[in-house]
Amino acid sequence: MAHDAPPRWDRRMQQRLARGEAAALGELYDRFASLVHSLAYRVLDDERAADRITREVFAYVWEHPDSYDPKQGSLRSWVAGITRHQAVQRLRQTESDSARDHGEDGPATAESERALERKIHEASTAARADYIVTSMPTPLREALELAYFQRRDYRQTAADLGVTEDEARRRLRLGLQLLSTAHNHQALPAVPMRRAARGPHAPRPPHSAPPAPGHGRSL
């Protein structure tokens, strides 16, 4: 996809992180912090919770760079997968805590379980759709934005993009095919994450200075 870094960059970044290069973590944070925060917020709809997930994700990446396998996809996709998994887990815990706060101490009913799983699936799907849209090639993303957000038909889309009507239809078709995978994806795989340490060395949320590495690794 257009916004994924080249595989060579992914491997080099992993190697630098494994060597404990603080500059590599800062570079990775600059590149992916906004993505991580936006995906977490899409699931949780909570700014502070998204900030916390962002810190946890970059802490995990710093501690476990060898968990990334370049053969399985891009570093960007790996980071996004960790983020979705952590955010969904946090949503599940939040909903469970909320149920207890409202006096629902007994076993969950089948209906409440279904409602929770529905909410989690919808949040995860929305986050994955956001990721797909921001990751797809620019021509496809532009066509989708014109057709579905600005309500252009394919003829108007073609005129706005300066392409033929056949090309506009092709871009819309490919964009929709990519987007459809958000609704057909399997459950997120478990990611063995240790809870990030709280302290001055934990990565900070977006819109602040790059995070400083910590959690037992020296510079």
Side-chain angles (χ1 to χ4, degrees):
M1 292 183 179
H3 291 264
D4 278 0
R8 185 179 301 174
W9 184 91
D10 289 349
R11 289 192 294 271
R12 187 167 63 249
M13 174 58 68
Q14 181 189 38
Q15 292 166 357
R16 292 174 62 197
L17 290 169
R19 290 195 297 266
E21 292 186 22
L25 181 63
E27 184 178 335
L28 193 77
Y29 184 89
D30 289 342
R31 185 182 288 257
F32 295 142
S34 293
L35 169 69
V36 170
H37 191 271
S38 65
L39 290 178
Y41 184 82
R42 191 74 162 102
V43 173
L44 298 166
D45 194 26
D46 184 306
E47 190 75 25
R48 292 179 65 183
D51 288 347
R52 187 175 179 183
I53 292 295
T54 301
R55 291 194 296 270
E56 291 181 355
V57 167
F58 282 98
Y60 176 80
V61 170
W62 173 249
E63 287 285 345
H64 305 282
D66 291 336
S67 296
Y68 167 60
D69 182 359
K71 295 178 182 179
Q72 299 300 315
S74 70
L75 191 60
R76 187 176 195 268
S77 296
W78 180 63
V79 170
I82 294 171
T83 303
R84 289 197 303 274
H85 180 268
Q86 283 300 98
V88 166
Q89 292 299 99
R90 180 62 52 79
L91 177 61
R92 191 183 298 277
Q93 184 61 53
T94 298
E95 292 294 320
S96 177
D97 292 344
S98 177
R100 283 198 300 270
D101 289 344
H102 286 82
E104 300 173 16
D105 295 325
T109 65
E111 179 58 34
S112 66
E113 284 287 350
R114 284 195 295 270
L116 174 58
E117 290 306 317
R118 200 160 46 239
K119 182 173 183 178
I120 289 170
H121 178 75
E122 289 171 356
S124 180
T125 297
R128 182 169 171 80
D130 281 355
Y131 173 75
I132 290 171
V133 170
T134 59
S135 301
M136 68 175 54
T138 301
L140 305 188
R141 187 174 66 254
E142 289 177 342
L144 283 179
E145 288 173 348
L146 286 169
Y148 292 95
F149 294 105
Q150 300 185 33
R151 304 295 184 182
R152 302 284 204 276
D153 62 26
Y154 75 90
R155 292 187 179 86
Q156 293 169 323
T157 297
D160 288 344
L161 294 177
V163 299
T164 65
E165 293 179 4
D166 284 345
E167 175 62 13
R169 281 195 293 265
R170 186 188 72 85
R171 293 183 186 184
L172 288 171
R173 182 174 64 253
L174 291 175
L176 288 173
Q177 287 173 350
L178 287 173
L179 198 54
S180 69
T181 64
H183 300 277
N184 300 328
H185 72 282
Q186 300 298 315
L188 292 171
V191 179
M193 289 189 65
R194 296 187 308 213
R195 186 164 297 282
R198 301 290 181 264
H201 298 297
R204 285 171 283 195
H207 315 303
S208 65
H215 313 292
R217 294 186 60 187
S218 59
L219 303 182

